[in-house]
Amino acid sequence: MRSDLMKTGIDRIPHRALFRALGLTDEELNRPIIGVVNAQNEIIPGHLDLDKIASAVKAGIRMAGGTPVEFPAIGVCDGIAMNHEGMFFSLPSREHIADSVEIMANAHPFDGLVFIPNCDKIVPGMIMAALRLNIPAVFCSGGPMLPGRAAGKMVALTDAFEAPAAVHTGKMGEREATAITEHSCPGCGSCAGMFTANSMNCMTEILGLGLPGNGTIPAVESQRILLAKHAGMRIMDLVAGDIRPRDIVTQKAITNGLVADMALGCSTNTMLHLPAIAHEAGLELSLEGVNAISGKVPHLVKLNPAGPHFLVDLNNAGGLSAVMKRLDSLGLIETDAKTVDGTWADRIAAAEIKDGDVIRSRETAYSQTGGLAVLYGNLAPDGAVVKKGAVLPEMMQHTGPAKCFDSEEECCQALYAGKVAAGDVVILRYEGPKGGPGMREMLSPTAALAGMGLDRSCALVTDGRFSGVSRGASIGHVSPEAAAGGLLAYVKDGDLIEIDIANYSINLKVSEEEIAARKQEIVPQPPKEVSGYLKRYRALVTSANRGAILDDSKL
């Protein structure tokens, strides 16, 4: 056993003495020791009840003959960190989480790991760690939040973020806003729509690292506790069979992940995290191949904020195994891809599509192409990402004058001051991985546009990124970013920006001669003054089209 390195033999007498201090018996030390990575804390709603998940996981490990040892991981609540300096640290926390798990699991050589994440960067950070370490591992998230109810309708975090703009413009009264505040997030769990947290929990299941139901069983249901116990038992089978994450996350698994991503219309953040995950697995995932997959995969599931359904509805409709069953019927899935409990063929055979409105057929699909798209053109030669499943039909093609802003704060102030008009293309730059630094989510500007009713006539283009809560013609991840000398830095107010999402293009309609002249005239904004972790992060982070991974070659 790997754990023998820290517990077996005469030379490990002091080690065993320390284990005695923890109250571990000889019987417990003689079993496989399983690290339980628990991100539980009291600041993220999705993590509040992870202590219960951890208890169930540990019970499962003990039932199957292992000894669980729990240790923590940090987490940032993107919603609470939104629209202030806290958001600079969200994406960078992904790398810190991966590094900290690597440190713990190598300093204390566990035989296997059970990961308990739930929200935004915690999930991909833990997946990256699992693949980097490549010791047997299984994931059990805390599960999605239920939607709330206010003013006679179902509500979620989307409504809360769009409420300020609606109040500012008189479209909503304070009484309705208060009801949304009180009821849009009714309890524990990752926020109820197909936002980043739920997108990545679903991707964990699709990639094969989580058991069926990992992405969709609500946080408050007892089925989530049962799932956690089974995850604890399953890790013992993986340890016994020496089945490792890189045996599961192969090129076939990555392909399945992209196919499901398109069918589900997940958060644009998956286009940051999947390349980073592939990198840790020693695989290739280029954004250039995404549109080919999007072009053949219908958009079958439309969850909040793009559509009327929530994660609980997808769970009741049969969950992700049912989605994969539908996709398999279309010949789009690699069914021999491995999972922690067999293959996708096994899961599909046991799956049932229980609601054809939630999981649609090709004939009734929302679109015959996928929910995400990568746009290319002179403004984004290395790509830009849009959640096209959440774009209104009238904004799929749009040409309008640029309104340029050099920070999220400047943009929000202009929006609330009425300085953005119908038809404008909002350019929000210097918010990329290096420029931010940290590539902040631009949820406040997109929510303001939606709350003011401008999502029907305005687009937003940024080298920053978006929360899964964002909707509308929100085009992010523009690469190269402005801080790296990308063309975004040289756009001026009034320039025409041509967006054609259906044909995957985005262009600045300015002559090459004028662009060359501007590059001689305009000096890009100097780097912001930062210190500590952000300074180290900025020195190493790469472009969004590479998943904003850190470039170790610079070390």
Side-chain angles (χ1 to χ4, degrees), residues 112-200:
L113 294 169
V114 180
F115 290 88
I116 306 175
N118 213 27
C119 294
D120 293 8
K121 309 310 164 292
I122 300 92
V123 185
M126 287 187 176
I127 296 175
M128 290 163 66
L131 290 164
R132 188 183 303 172
L133 289 160
N134 201 33
I135 61 175
V138 65
F139 281 68
C140 183
S141 79
M145 186 185 292
L146 294 175
R149 193 169 186 84
K153 65 176 183 177
M154 304 303 286
V155 291
L157 187 63
T158 309
D159 301 274
F161 269 104
E162 293 179 5
V167 172
H168 275 299
T169 56
K171 296 179 182 295
M172 180 185 292
E174 289 190 17
R175 184 174 179 179
E176 185 179 351
T178 299
I180 288 172
T181 302
E182 292 178 351
H183 300 294
S184 58
C185 295
C188 68
S190 47
C191 300
M194 188 57 89
F195 314 144
T196 304
N198 289 324
S199 294
M200 290 311 302

Side-chain angles (χ1 to χ4, degrees), residues 9-83:
I10 293 173
D11 292 337
R12 298 297 180 260
I13 289 173
H15 302 67
R16 291 196 295 276
L18 290 166
F19 280 121
R20 285 290 186 278
L22 296 171
L24 294 178
T25 65
D26 285 339
E27 290 81 2
E28 288 172 303
L29 286 178
N30 288 334
R31 299 169 183 167
I33 297 182
I34 307 301
V36 177
V37 193
N38 185 6
Q40 196 271 337
N41 59 56
E42 295 182 347
I43 189 67
I44 305 177
H47 290 206
L48 189 61
D49 278 12
L50 293 190
D51 54 344
K52 296 181 178 62
I53 300 297
S55 294
V57 164
K58 289 188 286 187
I61 292 169
R62 292 189 184 101
M63 283 190 284
T67 298
V69 177
E70 183 179 341
F71 64 90
I74 67 160
V76 172
C77 179
D78 277 25
I80 294 173
M82 195 70 64
N83 198 27

Side-chain angles (χ1 to χ4, degrees), residues 474-505:
S474 303
I475 299 162
H477 306 197
V478 171
S479 300
E481 62 177 294
L487 189 56
L488 207 65
Y490 303 101
V491 179
K492 290 185 176 182
D493 284 350
D495 287 346
L496 286 182
I497 307 294
E498 183 183 70
I499 299 165
D500 188 345
I501 295 172
N503 291 300
Y504 308 113
S505 71

